[in-house]
Amino acid sequence: MPNVNSAFDSVEVRDSSKVAALDIGSNSFHLVVARIVAGSVQILHRVKQKVRLADGLGKDGVLSEEAIQRGLQTLEVIAESLQGFEPENVRVVATYTLRKAKNAKDFLKAAKSVFPFPIEVIAGVEEARLIYQGVAHTNHQQGQRLIVDIGGGSTEFIIGEAFEPKILRSLQMGCVSYTNRFFKNGELKPKNFLKAITSAQQELEMIDKQYRQLGWKTCIGTSGTIKVIIELASHLDSTTPENCVSKSDLYALMDLCCDAGNSENLKLEGLSIDRQPVLAAGLSILIAVFNNLKIETMEFSTAALREGVLYEMEDHLQQLDIRERSAQSLATRYDVDVEQAKRVLNTTMTLYQECKKTWKIDNKELKSLLEWAALLHEVGLQINTRGIQRHSAYILQNIELPGFGQEQQNLLATLVRFHRKKIRVDEIPEFTILGQEQVHKLMTLLRLGVLLNIKRQDNILPEFSITTKGETVTLKLPENWLQNKPVFSADLERECNYLKELDFTLEYN
């Protein structure tokens, strides 16, 4: 009888890692758990929970308590699937509804008590970029391709080639939001479709000409909405290729919806009960997309946002560090003084290394964001030298920064906003991923990195060190070094007063 226990003894065991990505969407929450081995992603587990978070987003921009509770209950369920995962192996991204909700922070705060992983609210363009990465790593067409992803609250449009997105846009139209606007009480009449299609076409006027000019060879749809439409189209008497949908198929499905009269009466093969209410809205948006972008046929890809997140989580699977490219592009566009940026970066990192343990900020992501802030703190110099900190913060707050989440971008802008001059604590926003104390500590390090390089010259600074104990920061300079530097001494004294606003005490010799 064979020895089963020893059957795999000679099999080579490769290094692997287990990662998870959660997409907190406006319609559904999607979890994907994967094993990354030998440079490939192996999907182990998927969880999809219908939440319809966008249903609770009122006209006043406030997310209802009922919707918040639905989301929190779903996060509790998903947390069970993530037991045993380290935080660095899980990335959670939230999209349209939490981007738009005025009280999103209430949801994010409450989530901390039931869900042990940080939630990152990403901008629409960043969502589009990650969707493209998911498709690019799993589909291998030649030439440029157009990707369309219809979500619950927004629809993303991307044209790219290979692993490189060339144009990214996110429009505020989705199957949940359009259901609430145009198909209330499930009413399915031609006039409802006409209004919804017209509204979507008006949104598309902002991008359609530019997209058609750039062009594409292949058109790909992602998301559950397009998947369901293609599945329904496959049951029609149509010559459309498998896994594709044509313009004529879309209008045929619209006629079937109108014949039903109400979403509750919509009995189509392959249509689940939870998709019945939002089908008409998704169909209307897709018809508008076909019309404005002159599309005849679209194929479906199973990969989307969460797969894009997964592929970016492993360093060796990334085609490039997108954040590095974003920073370089910004520095070039605004003529950043690169030499000064490097001086501030090096000094700030020296300070960080010496106090990261005692200040409990020894975190790869915190270090990375502090580095970007040091490199980009003078992007506003091109606007005006006066109030540079305000100009730099405005640019970083409002410009598209692929690779950075909404809160990460907000932190960059905040650090840069207060890298010099007075600190106005009431203007420092509250962060959900970071504690305010951590933000204050990063801000202090950047301010000292800038101050110590105020002469903007190499080889000016002597050997120095920094120690921290609680809220006391001690800067140690060579004995008597400050005696013949009255201006620099005055700058340090003034900084002592500034840092009191953060409840920090700066001491120096």
Side-chain angles (χ1 to χ4, degrees):
M1 186 173 181
N3 183 359
V4 175
N5 289 332
S6 62
F8 281 0
D9 285 353
S10 61
V11 175
E12 179 186 355
V13 179
R14 302 189 189 188
D15 290 336
S16 65
S17 59
K18 197 173 170 186
V19 296
L22 174 62
D23 163 17
I24 297 180
S26 298
N27 193 35
S28 305
F29 289 10
H30 294 263
L31 173 70
V32 179
V33 177
R35 178 173 175 257
I36 298 181
V37 58
S40 66
V41 172
Q42 301 171 352
I43 303 298
L44 303 176
H45 180 55
R46 292 182 186 269
V47 175
K48 178 184 176 183
Q49 294 284 332
K50 191 71 66 178
V51 182
R52 294 227 170 90
L53 208 58
D55 264 345
L57 191 61
K59 292 181 180 178
D60 58 359
V62 175
L63 192 60
S64 70
E65 185 59 32
E66 184 183 355
I68 289 175
Q69 289 306 315
R70 285 201 307 270
L72 295 177
Q73 289 166 8
T74 304
L75 287 179
E76 280 192 90
V77 172
I78 292 173
E80 294 179 11
S81 297
L82 294 174
Q83 287 184 358
F85 274 83
E86 294 297 326
E88 60 265 25
N89 291 332
V90 178
R91 188 178 178 195
V92 185
V93 295
T95 57
Y96 176 82
T97 299
L98 290 183
R99 277 200 297 271
K100 295 300 176 183
K102 293 178 181 178
N103 58 336
K105 286 183 179 178
D106 294 341
F107 176 88
L108 297 173
K109 281 183 182 178
K112 287 183 177 180
S113 63
V114 298
F115 192 70
F117 304 97
I119 298 171
E120 180 185 347
V121 181
I122 59 174
V125 171
E126 176 66 1
E127 181 181 355
R129 187 187 68 81
L130 289 169
I131 289 167
Y132 184 80
Q133 290 305 316
V135 175
H137 280 87
T138 52
N139 294 265
H140 303 287
Q141 298 94 340
Q142 296 294 318
Q144 291 191 166
R145 50 194 164 192
L146 167 68
I147 313 296
V148 179
D149 186 291
I150 301 175
S154 64
T155 299
E156 281 65 49
F157 299 85
I158 313 98
I159 293 178
E161 186 170 1
F163 293 100
E164 185 71 20
K166 295 186 176 181
I167 185 170
L168 306 141
R169 290 292 183 271
S170 178
L171 300 184
Q172 294 186 32
M173 53 187 191
C175 62
V176 176
S177 58
Y178 265 44
T179 297
N180 294 335
R181 284 180 62 188
F182 302 107
F183 300 96
K184 290 180 180 178
N185 303 317
E187 189 178 73
L188 304 179
K189 293 182 178 179
K191 67 177 183 179
N192 301 92
F193 275 98
L194 179 60
K195 288 179 181 178
I197 293 169
T198 301
S199 176
Q201 288 185 305
Q202 288 174 317
E203 288 286 333
L204 283 157
E205 283 178 344
M206 295 185 289
I207 70 166
D208 53 10
K209 184 177 180 181
Q210 184 182 16
Y211 272 62
R212 291 197 306 268
Q213 285 178 343
L214 187 56
W216 57 86
K217 186 177 179 181
T218 310
C219 178
I220 299 173
T222 66
S223 77
T225 296
I226 295 176
K227 178 183 179 183
V228 168
I229 290 172
I230 288 179
E231 287 177 351
L232 295 176
S234 69
H235 299 296
L236 301 173
D237 184 13
S238 169
T239 58
T240 306
E242 187 179 356
N243 201 43
C244 294
V245 66
S246 67
K247 182 190 263 190
S248 59
D249 291 334
L250 299 180
Y251 279 101
L253 288 172
M254 185 180 75
D255 290 341
L256 291 174
C257 289
C258 292
D259 290 342
N262 192 284
S263 60
E264 291 183 357
N265 302 327
L266 198 55
K267 308 299 180 184
L268 300 177
E269 186 179 352
L271 180 64
S272 62
I273 294 175
D274 63 348
R275 277 285 170 185
Q276 273 181 309
V278 296
L279 174 66
L283 190 56
S284 299
I285 292 170
L286 197 56
I287 288 172
V289 170
F290 269 60
N291 287 341
N292 278 41
L293 296 181
K294 310 301 181 187
I295 298 168
E296 291 300 326
T297 306
M298 173 183 285
E299 63 180 275
F300 177 69
S301 167
T302 56
L305 175 60
R306 46 236 169 240
E307 287 77 17
V309 171
L310 283 177
Y311 275 98
E312 288 214 335
M313 288 177 70
E314 272 306 286
D315 289 340
H316 64 271
L317 289 181
Q318 293 184 36
Q319 298 302 308
L320 44 83
D321 185 339
I322 187 65
R323 294 199 291 189
E324 182 176 336
R325 190 179 69 172
S326 293
Q328 289 173 346
S329 172
L330 200 59
T332 301
R333 200 181 324 172
Y334 288 93
D335 295 321
V336 166
D337 183 342
V338 174
E339 294 305 315
Q340 177 65 3
K342 287 180 179 177
R343 290 185 199 102
V344 173
L345 171 65
N346 292 335
T347 302
T348 303
M349 285 300 102
T350 298
L351 298 170
Y352 171 81
Q353 293 297 337
E354 292 194 20
C355 68
K356 64 182 181 181
K357 298 289 186 185
T358 55
W359 259 3
K360 296 180 181 178
I361 52 173
D362 188 6
N363 176 284
K364 183 179 178 181
E365 184 63 14
L366 292 184
K367 176 177 177 287
S368 176
L369 289 168
L370 184 59
E371 287 175 328
W372 296 126
L375 285 170
L376 297 172
H377 74 282
E378 287 191 337
V379 290
L381 191 61
Q382 193 182 69
I383 297 175
N384 200 317
T385 54
R386 289 180 60 84
I388 179 178
Q389 69 276 15
R390 294 191 300 273
H391 302 316
S392 294
Y394 180 83
I395 291 169
L396 289 172
Q397 185 75 67
N398 292 283
I399 202 165
E400 291 178 2
L401 275 181
F404 292 89
Q406 197 172 65
E407 183 148 302
Q408 294 169 333
Q409 189 165 348
N410 198 16
L411 177 60
L412 277 182
T414 301
L415 294 178
V416 166
R417 168 67 181 86
F418 297 107
H419 80 262
R420 65 195 284 269
K421 299 292 184 179
K422 290 182 180 180
I423 301 169
R424 304 182 189 278
V425 176
D426 59 330
E427 293 182 11
I428 299 175
E430 190 174 348
F431 294 87
T432 55
I433 296 178
L434 297 177
Q436 293 303 95
E437 189 178 334
Q438 289 177 306
V439 176
H440 293 175
K441 288 172 179 176
L442 295 178
M443 190 179 295
T444 299
L445 294 178
L446 179 60
R447 290 179 66 90
L448 290 174
V450 172
L451 177 61
L452 291 170
N453 288 282
I454 200 167
K455 293 292 186 181
R456 308 180 74 90
Q457 296 177 42
D458 293 326
N459 305 318
I460 293 291
L461 275 180
E463 291 291 328
F464 66 89
S465 64
I466 187 174
T467 57
T468 56
K469 187 176 182 181
E471 283 73 43
T472 300
V473 183
T474 303
L475 183 64
K476 295 182 179 179
L477 297 162
E479 192 174 352
N480 301 322
W481 187 78
L482 285 174
Q483 282 187 355
N484 297 318
K485 295 175 175 58
V487 177
F488 192 74
S489 297
D491 288 337
L492 278 172
E493 184 61 33
R494 187 168 54 184
E495 187 64 21
C496 291
N497 293 324
Y498 287 154
L499 290 178
K500 287 178 183 177
E501 291 296 316
L502 300 178
D503 294 324
F504 286 134
T505 299
L506 174 61
E507 298 178 348
Y508 60 93
N509 61 316

